[in-house]
Each structure stands twice: as structure tokens, then as C-alpha cells.
Amino acid sequence: MKAKFFVIGLLCLCSLSLFAEDKYAYMTQHNELRVGWGDQLFESLVWHNPTAITTTMPESYLQTYHENYHHDQHVWIEYQWRFKHWFSFGAMVDWSDVRWDNVTRNGRGVEVAREGGHWFYNLVFMPTIRFTYLHHPNVNLYSGLGLGMDINGGSEMDGWGRKTVVGAAVQFTVIGLSANYERWFWFADFGGLYALRNGNTIFMTSSKIISAGFGARF
């Protein structure tokens, strides 16, 4: 029985050693730079082509629709400094935008006019922190948090005649995974980006659920 527990304990120690931080890498690679892409699932659900177009009214009836939506996905860059093997702090910049046409159609659904150049963007600046709880020369698991501001602007005016406004932004990384090769790594993050000006003006909610990209440590 004692031999059995000894073997189990030895296996546990060996397994823990697999996840040990590479001390040399930590001491010499404090800097980390990441470039990523994130989805616009929230934007594509809220801003999309019309589900129905009026075709039963007289031709003199005119209605303008938002059509031909194009969602430019999130692109972002982040720098972090590794204070400890398990904790890092830095900052991120994230950009995303949505574009569409204003299309005027008559009561039969026939297009009579089209105006392009309509768009809005979200530009996010935020400090970020990350907690890495599994370390291996080839694999890391981590979670993170960011809190900053979002600049929302574009071609459209709000109810007060402003084209550009600023709101709060927060990002949660529930879980992230990086696959490392020497100083280079690929990663995938699961979480969400939220931004709003107040309870009535929401720019993003559960956007950027999935992010992926590459980076380097130096």
C-alpha cells in the first residue's frame, strides 16, 4: 500500500514538473507583444441587412433601408510586461468598424437611390492584466482583464448632433491558450469586449468573443 502511494506521489510530482515555468525564459523574456483578430458576432447580429422589404405599397411610397453591411472584424495589438511568471501588466489598442449603404426603394421594392459612405467605428484603449496559471515551455493557460475607454465615431450623428463620443470599455478573457515555440507563439482567447456611454447608449456587448493571433516574447 505504501509503495502504491509512493508511486502515485512520484507521478504527481513528475506531472507538475511538466507545467513548471522555464526559469531562463522568464528571466530573459519579460516583454510580450501580441497582434490579434477578433470576431464581430455582436455587431453582425445588431446591424444587418433588412429581413423584409415593402413591396405592396404604391410606387410613390419611398422608404430608406440600411443595406450592404460590411463588418470589419476587430484588429488589435497588445504589449505586456511580465512582472512575475504568473502575472503581467500592459496595454491594448483595438479597432473595429461597420459600413453600410442607405438604399431608398419605392413601394414595389425597387431601388431608386443609393448613398454609400455610411459607417461607424470603435477605437478602444485600455490597460490590461493577465494571470497565467499553467506554465510549460510549449503551452500556457491564462485569464485576463482590461478596463479603459472606447471612442465611437463615424459618419452618423447621435441625438445631440455629435459624430464622436467617448464611453467606458471593459474586456474579460475568461480563458486563453498559447502554443509556444522559442520566442514565438500562437494564441486563442475566449471572453468578451463591452463598451457603453450610459444605460441607453451601448456600443458593444459580448463582442470579440473569440480572438486569435500571434506574438513574440523578448
Side-chain angles (χ1 to χ4, degrees):
M1 183 64 68
K2 291 182 178 180
K4 180 179 179 180
F5 282 113
F6 176 77
V7 172
I8 294 175
L10 184 61
L11 290 175
C12 290
L13 289 174
C14 291
S15 63
L16 288 174
S17 69
L18 291 176
F19 304 126
E21 173 74 2
D22 186 319
K23 185 176 180 180
Y24 177 77
Y26 162 63
M27 293 174 59
T28 61
Q29 299 175 13
H30 287 286
N31 302 276
E32 181 178 290
L33 186 64
R34 303 199 303 167
V35 177
W37 165 95
D39 70 88
Q40 271 197 338
L41 178 61
F42 165 76
E43 291 85 346
S44 62
L45 291 175
V46 176
W47 294 284
H48 54 78
N49 293 330
T51 56
I53 294 177
T54 300
T55 59
T56 58
M57 298 292 288
E59 291 188 7
S60 58
Y61 173 85
L62 298 177
Q63 184 172 345
T64 299
Y65 302 86
H66 294 170
E67 300 182 25
N68 194 30
Y69 272 98
H70 179 75
H71 301 85
D72 292 323
Q73 310 299 302
H74 291 267
V75 290
W76 53 274
I77 186 170
E78 180 185 28
Y79 166 80
Q80 287 208 332
W81 171 268
R82 301 175 71 198
F83 286 91
K84 297 289 185 179
H85 65 279
W86 56 271
F87 176 75
S88 58
F89 173 84
M92 181 195 71
V93 180
D94 181 286
W95 169 274
S96 62
D97 64 73
V98 177
R99 304 172 185 272
W100 71 91
D101 296 337
N102 281 353
V103 180
T104 302
R105 298 180 181 274
N106 63 23
R108 299 299 181 182
V110 178
E111 179 180 328
V112 297
R114 179 181 291 264
E115 182 184 48
H118 294 272
W119 71 302
F120 72 82
Y121 66 85
N122 284 294
L123 178 59
V124 175
F125 299 90
M126 63 171 53
T128 58
I129 58 175
R130 189 182 311 137
F131 301 95
T132 303
Y133 41 82
L134 185 151
H135 305 275
H136 186 269
N138 301 113
V139 177
N140 285 344
L141 286 178
Y142 53 85
S143 296
L145 174 67
L147 180 63
M149 70 173 185
D150 174 42
I151 302 174
N152 177 270
S155 61
E156 311 305 291
M157 292 186 180
D158 64 10
W160 293 269
R162 300 171 300 191
K163 287 189 175 182
T164 305
V165 294
V166 178
V170 60
Q171 176 174 286
F172 300 96
T173 302
V174 178
I175 187 169
L177 169 69
S178 68
N180 317 309
Y181 177 71
E182 296 180 347
R183 296 179 181 270
W184 306 96
F185 62 92
W186 294 89
F187 67 88
D189 295 352
F190 176 80
L193 176 62
Y194 304 78
L196 73 163
R197 181 170 177 81
N198 50 50
N200 297 320
T201 306
I202 298 175
F203 304 131
M204 292 180 285
T205 177
S206 292
S207 186
K208 196 180 173 185
I209 296 175
I210 299 174
S211 292
F214 63 92
R217 299 185 181 101
F218 52 94

